[in-house]
């Protein structure tokens, strides 16, 4: 019998020249929500993140810190591992490009490309940006007042002239276009697909894939004067983690990846170079690359010089973990740029979480505690209003699944909050506090319908807010086996008479500290 369906998703591997900030936390968070969702939906998920530790940029940062690159990367990579526990990510693996498994994988890939005649030795003369670890054509650059050449990203470029191996990227133009055309979902969002297509159609030059002027990287097999271009090294992490060069086992199980999640800054590397390298090595390209937008802070670009870089720890400490997770994915349509502001964060915490979801859960569970002997109430016959609310709850997974699978996290949350709103309106209309005196049996039915609705909401909010959802499910006496998507719908319905623990608030209001 075939095993469960698989789902392999990855984050970019982050450069260790810097400490993690809200942007890094965001990309991995989006993947975490998707990974948790797919697991609950019955998939065998592999979720990979890690650190990109080679290249000139990292070498320079180590020099500036006055330590050896390996010691430097060991230290900074740990910051990204700490981010995993801070943000409650559920990755199955954490890869570092300095690990022996990766060095072996990249060198094997290089040899295959060389054997297939896709790599040749030449010499490079052109512009290179260390900050972007990217080559630029003269026509892409501007000159700043100091006379320096500046890339479209704002990064300074330097002239590089040295022997170099090249990958025959120019030969892949038509095959790349044919691949994009045959796979319309490969690049998302759709606007980005057009950008990449026109870039490729405008013509591709062969790509320099080795450097001789620095040492911190993976040597080219058979010619260790040359260090591999850090992007060839880095992109291959996605196949290393599934066992390449062994193409059986995990590779056979998980490759091609279902999704590479990236920021819009590195789309070209993932949708042009990477599928070309893979096709050239006779390996299938990934199924999809999603490029999300960029965060600014209170309307400004995040930068060290402006001193406005937001560390994820400060968000979690100030606002709470699940509050931070919720805000980041609710505030901005996924794929668009977004702005972080304290005001909006507080508005979401006090509005969507405390007033809407939290209030629904708390008033229903405390009424059950007080009026139903602290046990799941026994329902009588359902009215049209009861069926309407339960129907919306039962239907929710189908709606949310479509949105999550399209990486429309904001739409998935809108759909869940529509049912939160239905629930709150239903409480107000049914007024169980009045029924308590006039019709206790009807009160029990109303509270049952509400508890059942809350059960659905809490199961579905697990991927985004794992801790808060677990607290709600605890209060409904739903154990670990009752929390999968298979338990949604009437099959997993609450059993009347089940004792419930004392209720407690899950989403406190954010109260501004008075300024000292
Ligand atoms: O590019 N808003 O690593 P990197 C949103 N090592 N996301 C942001 C962001 C912001 N302001 N700033 C950064 C690299 N990001 C390479 C990747 S993959 C084979 C190699 C996120 O440390 C976003 O996902 O510069 C972006 O693509 C990534 O961090 C860049 O991380």
């Amino acid at each position: 019998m075939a095993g469960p369906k698989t789902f392999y998703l990855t984050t970019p591997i982050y450069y260790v020249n810097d400490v993690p900030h809200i942007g890094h936390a965001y990309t991995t968070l989006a993947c975490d929500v998707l990974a948790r969702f797919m697991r609950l939906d019955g998939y065998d998920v592999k979720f990979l993140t890690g650190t990109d530790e080679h290249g000139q940029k990292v070498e320079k940062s180590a020099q500036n810190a006055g330590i050896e690159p390996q010691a430097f990367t060991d230290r900074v990579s740990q910051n990204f591992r700490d981010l995993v526990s801070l943000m409650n990510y559920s990755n199955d693996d954490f890869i570092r490009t300095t690990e022996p498994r990766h060095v072996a994988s990249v060198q094997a890939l290089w040899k295959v490309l060389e054997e297939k005649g896709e790599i040749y030795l030449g010499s490079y003369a052109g512009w290179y940006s260390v900050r972007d670890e990217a080559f630029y054509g003269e026509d892409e650059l501007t000159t700043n007042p100091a006379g320096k050449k500046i890339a479209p990203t704002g990064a300074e470029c330097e002239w590089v002239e040295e022997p170099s191996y090249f990958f025959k990227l120019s030969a892949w133009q038509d095959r790349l276009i044919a691949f994009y055309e045959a796979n319309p979902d490969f690049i998302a969002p759709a606007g980005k697909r057009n950008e990449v297509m026109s870039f490729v159609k405008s013509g591709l030059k062969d790509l320099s894939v080795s450097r001789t002027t620095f040492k911190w990287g993976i040597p080219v097999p058979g010619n260790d004067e040359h260090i591999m271009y850090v992007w060839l090294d880095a992109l291959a992490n996605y196949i290393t983690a599934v066992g390449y060069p062994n193409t059986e086992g995990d590779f056979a199980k998980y490759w091609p990846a279902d999704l590479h999640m990236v920021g819009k800054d590195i789309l070209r590397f993932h949708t042009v170079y990477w599928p070309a390298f893979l096709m050239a090595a006779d390996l299938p390209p990934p199924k999809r690359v999603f490029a999300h937008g960029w965060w600014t802070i209170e309307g400004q670009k995040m930068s060290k010089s402006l001193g406005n870089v937001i560390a994820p720890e400060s968000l979690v400490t100030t606002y709470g973990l699940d509050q931070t997770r919720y805000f980041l994915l609710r505030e901005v349509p996924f794929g668009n740029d977004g702005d972080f502001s304290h005001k909006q964060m507080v508005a979401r915490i006090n509005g969507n979480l405390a007033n809407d979801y939290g209030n629904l859960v708390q008033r229903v569970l405390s009424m059950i505690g007080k009026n139903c002997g602290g046990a799941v109430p026994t329902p009588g016959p359902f009215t049209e209003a009861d069926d309407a609310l339960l129907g919306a709850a039962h239907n929710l997974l189908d709606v949310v699944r479509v949105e999550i699978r399209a990486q429309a996290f904001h739409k998935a949350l809108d759909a869940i909050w529509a049912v939160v709103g239905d629930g709150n309106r239903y409480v107000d209309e049914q007024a169980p506090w009045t029924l308590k005196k006039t019709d206790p049996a009807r009160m029990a039915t109303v509270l049952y319908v509400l508890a059942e609705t809350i059960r659905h909401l809490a199961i579905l909010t697990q991927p985004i807010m794992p801790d808060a959802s677990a607290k709600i499910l605890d209060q409904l006496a739903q154990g670990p086996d009752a929390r999968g998507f298979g338990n949604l719908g009437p099959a997993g319905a609450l059993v009347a008479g089940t004792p419930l623990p004392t209720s407690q608030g899950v989403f406190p209001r954010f109260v501004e500290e008075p300024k000292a």
Side-chain angles (χ1 to χ4, degrees):
M1 208 180 79
K5 285 180 286 179
T6 60
F7 194 82
Y8 178 29
L9 83 166
T10 66
T11 74
I13 47 171
Y14 303 107
Y15 285 128
V16 288
N17 62 307
D18 217 346
V19 291
H21 60 60
I22 178 178
H24 308 116
Y26 181 58
T27 314
T28 312
L29 172 63
C31 290
D32 185 58
V33 171
L34 189 50
R36 288 175 184 270
F37 185 93
M38 297 305 282
R39 288 189 200 108
L40 288 164
D41 213 11
Y43 282 73
D44 170 342
V45 172
K46 182 172 172 77
F47 166 23
L48 174 71
T49 187
T51 43
D52 188 355
E53 307 193 355
H54 291 133
Q56 213 173 347
K57 170 151 94 172
V58 172
E59 190 181 65
K60 280 193 174 174
S61 298
Q63 275 162 6
N64 292 342
I67 46 179
E68 285 301 309
Q70 186 63 56
F72 176 77
T73 58
D74 288 346
R75 187 175 82 198
V76 191
S77 176
Q78 186 57 43
N79 295 333
F80 285 90
R81 281 182 190 259
D82 294 344
L83 183 68
V84 166
S85 42
L86 176 83
M87 294 295 295
N88 197 6
Y89 298 141
S90 62
N91 50 297
D92 302 287
D93 193 355
F94 186 103
I95 192 166
R96 300 181 56 187
T97 53
T98 47
E99 288 173 67
R101 62 170 168 163
H102 182 63
V103 176
S105 158
V106 180
Q107 291 190 327
L109 177 65
W110 180 284
K111 282 190 204 147
V112 173
L113 293 173
E114 204 170 26
E115 274 158 25
K116 291 187 180 288
E118 297 285 347
I119 285 180
Y120 63 92
L121 186 59
S123 67
Y124 180 78
W127 295 100
Y128 190 75
S129 153
V130 175
R131 193 185 91 183
D132 296 348
E133 295 282 18
F135 300 94
Y136 289 102
E138 179 87 47
D139 52 346
E140 293 178 277
L141 306 178
T142 51
T143 309
N144 76 4
K148 299 271 188 209
K149 291 287 184 184
I150 305 296
T153 55
E156 230 174 70
C157 295
E158 59 192 48
W159 184 256
V160 171
E161 220 171 303
E162 56 186 324
S164 173
Y165 284 93
F166 285 84
F167 171 73
K168 288 184 183 166
L169 186 63
S170 59
W172 287 90
Q173 182 173 343
D174 294 345
R175 281 172 286 185
L176 281 168
I177 297 287
F179 173 68
Y180 305 143
E181 275 167 358
N183 298 279
D185 293 331
F186 174 62
I187 303 170
K192 297 283 182 222
R193 176 170 190 260
N194 301 336
E195 254 174 52
V196 173
M197 297 266 275
S198 53
F199 170 74
V200 173
K201 281 183 182 158
S202 73
L204 296 174
K205 293 200 190 77
D206 288 352
L207 181 70
S208 165
V209 286
S210 75
R211 305 280 311 275
T212 52
T213 45
F214 72 96
K215 281 280 153 235
W216 182 239
I218 301 180
V220 165
N223 188 353
D224 57 16
E225 289 297 297
H226 286 255
I227 297 297
M228 278 185 222
Y229 177 37
V230 66
W231 270 101
L232 173 57
D233 165 347
L235 287 161
N237 91 86
Y238 302 132
I239 54 176
T240 302
V242 287
Y244 189 80
N246 179 358
T247 52
E248 285 156 20
D250 273 2
F251 189 95
K253 188 169 166 195
Y254 293 112
W255 194 262
D258 292 273
L259 178 70
H260 292 323
M261 179 69 78
V262 298
K264 64 181 183 178
D265 54 324
I266 54 174
L267 183 63
R268 195 180 285 182
F269 300 96
H270 283 81
T271 54
V272 182
Y273 302 168
W274 183 225
F277 294 155
L278 287 165
M279 290 194 280
D282 260 339
L283 298 170
K287 291 185 200 156
R288 183 170 166 92
V289 178
F290 191 106
H292 67 64
W294 218 238
W295 281 93
T296 52
I297 308 298
E298 309 277 352
Q300 283 188 307
K301 200 171 171 217
M302 199 168 19
S303 83
K304 274 193 206 157
S305 50
L306 290 174
N308 65 349
V309 176
I310 293 199
E313 293 89 326
S314 76
L315 294 183
V316 171
T317 313
T318 312
Y319 305 108
L321 171 60
D322 280 351
Q323 285 81 351
T324 300
R325 290 175 59 109
Y326 175 80
F327 173 83
L328 290 174
L329 290 183
R330 179 68 189 270
E331 182 63 7
V332 179
F334 198 72
N336 293 3
D337 291 338
D339 186 49
F340 176 86
S341 78
H342 171 73
K343 191 164 157 257
Q344 275 305 102
M345 175 70 119
V346 173
R348 291 276 177 201
I349 292 176
N350 289 345
N352 299 160
L353 296 181
N355 289 352
D356 299 344
Y357 191 19
N359 188 33
L360 174 68
V361 173
Q362 205 172 351
R363 58 183 173 157
V364 168
L365 294 182
S366 72
M367 269 187 280
I368 292 177
K370 283 191 208 118
N371 305 315
C372 307
V376 174
T378 306
F382 290 147
T383 65
E384 219 173 281
D386 303 346
D387 283 333
L389 183 60
L390 285 173
H394 292 162
N395 194 35
L396 202 46
L397 173 63
D398 287 344
V399 179
V400 170
R401 185 189 278 128
V402 170
E403 304 298 3
I404 294 273
R405 298 215 50 170
Q407 293 85 50
F409 300 101
H410 58 294
K411 289 193 187 163
L413 291 171
D414 278 347
I416 297 174
W417 258 256
V419 176
V420 170
D422 291 345
N424 275 320
R425 266 187 302 280
Y426 173 93
V427 186
D428 294 340
E429 281 159 17
Q430 302 292 327
W433 44 88
T434 311
L435 293 170
K436 185 179 157 188
K437 294 189 196 97
T438 55
D439 188 350
R442 177 65 197 151
M443 175 198 72
T445 307
V446 166
L447 291 176
Y448 181 88
V449 168
L450 284 162
E452 189 51 13
T453 304
I454 292 169
R455 182 178 76 86
H456 281 75
L457 293 169
I459 288 177
L460 286 164
T461 53
Q462 289 177 101
I464 184 106
M465 299 187 289
D467 293 345
S469 309
K471 280 190 196 149
I472 299 171
L473 290 165
D474 287 345
Q475 294 183 52
L476 287 170
Q478 299 300 289
D481 296 343
R483 298 179 182 191
F485 292 165
N487 299 97
L488 291 167
L494 293 168
V495 177
T498 307
L500 299 178
T502 313
S503 74
Q504 44 173 280
V506 175
F507 296 111
R509 287 184 67 76
F510 183 88
V511 182
E512 216 65 67
E513 294 285 334
K515 291 233 172 8

